[in-house]
Amino acid sequence: MAEGNGYAAAMKRVGLIALMLALTAAAAPGPHSVTRTTAALEFSYEWPAEAVAIPALDLKLYSEAKAKLAEAQKNAAEDQAFARKQKREFHQHDFSGSWETAGQTPRLLSLQGGFGGYEGGAHPNGFSRALLWDRAQGRQVSVGSLFARAGDFVSLTRSIYCRMLDAERKEKREGETLGGEFDQCPKYSELTIVPADGNNNGRFDTIDIIADAYVAGPYVEGDYDVEVPVTSALIAALKPDYRASFEAQRQ
């Protein structure tokens, strides 16, 4: 009887654990989105569950989505009225924004955003963005602020980024040079800089640096996404609190 009671108790514990896991999974937040479709506008703005799980960040992105929606509705309505006045065909406007998780650690959440829109021009316009959230500070931070000394991030990554960008441009252009600004290395202020976790093990191993169309090349070339590897020297330059969030990539 004692053995039977022990088995029953064990099975009861297993059942309780399974129930707790099921409830936890059910309570886990999903992605959020703001969408709107009218004759004048097709609008979509979404962000992932990892961001939804942080109330302050969820509110920040929701507020931004509402502001973008209001701006897009205003622009579409004005263009629609102008088209009617000019007696020309109106083409529905479009705006889409999507944040995706590039990687996360216990301390940091890194998001990469892709945004695009059409307002009746020759072609759609698109751009990228980055958002790095510090859970301990409860706010958005910059990549540069993770380092002990100002300027360390640029000095440790600039030369390798420019070399890797030139290699990608050379391959895409089949060895040709365009001359002027499209052969120069863009300023970091013109780029989207995203810490990323390529193997999803909870530590960042690359710094993805994105040059949108027109930044490193003409529109027809699209964007350039260069993955700069994290090195031991880069980790050593970080503030101590952030070093555990990164790992050196094997060379």
Side-chain angles (χ1 to χ4, degrees), residues 7-216:
Y7 176 78
M11 292 303 295
K12 184 176 180 180
R13 287 195 296 272
V14 170
L16 287 172
I17 292 171
L19 177 61
M20 291 174 64
L21 290 173
L23 289 173
T24 300
H32 280 178
S33 65
V34 173
T35 60
R36 185 69 54 84
T37 301
T38 67
L41 176 67
E42 182 81 23
F43 181 92
S44 174
Y45 191 111
E46 57 187 15
W47 55 102
E50 292 84 358
V52 175
I54 303 173
L57 179 54
D58 186 37
L59 178 59
K60 172 183 174 66
L61 294 175
Y62 175 73
S63 299
E64 181 173 301
K66 297 293 284 186
K68 291 288 186 183
L69 174 59
E71 179 184 6
Q73 287 177 317
K74 178 177 179 292
N75 291 341
E78 289 177 351
D79 187 32
Q80 189 178 42
F82 193 49
R84 189 179 299 115
K85 183 177 180 180
Q86 290 187 319
K87 297 182 179 179
R88 62 172 172 84
E89 183 181 3
F90 168 78
H91 297 283
Q92 183 189 45
H93 284 206
D94 173 86
F95 179 90
S96 63
S98 179
W99 289 100
E100 296 182 354
T101 300
Q104 64 173 329
T105 74
R107 178 71 182 260
L108 300 170
L109 172 63
S110 178
L111 302 180
Q112 179 177 331
F115 298 82
Y118 176 75
E119 295 186 348
H123 53 70
N125 294 310
F127 60 94
S128 61
R129 287 176 57 194
L131 194 160
L132 185 62
W133 189 269
D134 187 326
R135 292 185 173 94
Q137 295 189 45
R139 65 182 180 88
Q140 182 177 353
V141 296
S142 68
V143 173
S145 71
L146 306 182
F147 289 81
R149 294 183 301 180
D152 273 358
F153 172 68
V154 175
S155 65
L156 287 167
T157 60
R158 181 70 178 171
S159 62
I160 186 172
Y161 166 71
C162 293
R163 288 198 305 271
M164 293 177 72
L165 172 63
D166 281 341
E168 287 197 15
R169 288 195 290 205
K170 185 176 181 180
E171 181 179 356
K172 187 175 289 189
R173 298 170 185 173
E174 299 181 343
E176 294 184 9
T177 57
L178 301 182
E181 62 178 338
F182 289 151
D183 283 339
Q184 298 174 5
C185 193
K187 299 176 182 178
Y188 270 15
S189 60
E190 300 175 293
L191 303 169
T192 301
I193 300 174
V194 186
D197 178 8
N199 56 13
N200 295 313
N201 70 346
R203 290 183 292 176
F204 303 119
D205 52 19
T206 64
I207 307 295
D208 292 2
I209 303 181
I210 305 164
D212 294 328
Y214 292 126
V215 174

Side-chain angles (χ1 to χ4, degrees), residues 156-157 160 164 205-208 226-232 234 247-251:
L156 287 167
T157 60
I160 186 172
M164 293 177 72
D205 52 19
T206 64
I207 307 295
D208 292 2
V226 175
E227 298 180 359
V228 175
V230 170
T231 63
S232 56
L234 186 143
E247 65 177 347
Q249 190 176 121
R250 292 184 179 180
Q251 302 297 305

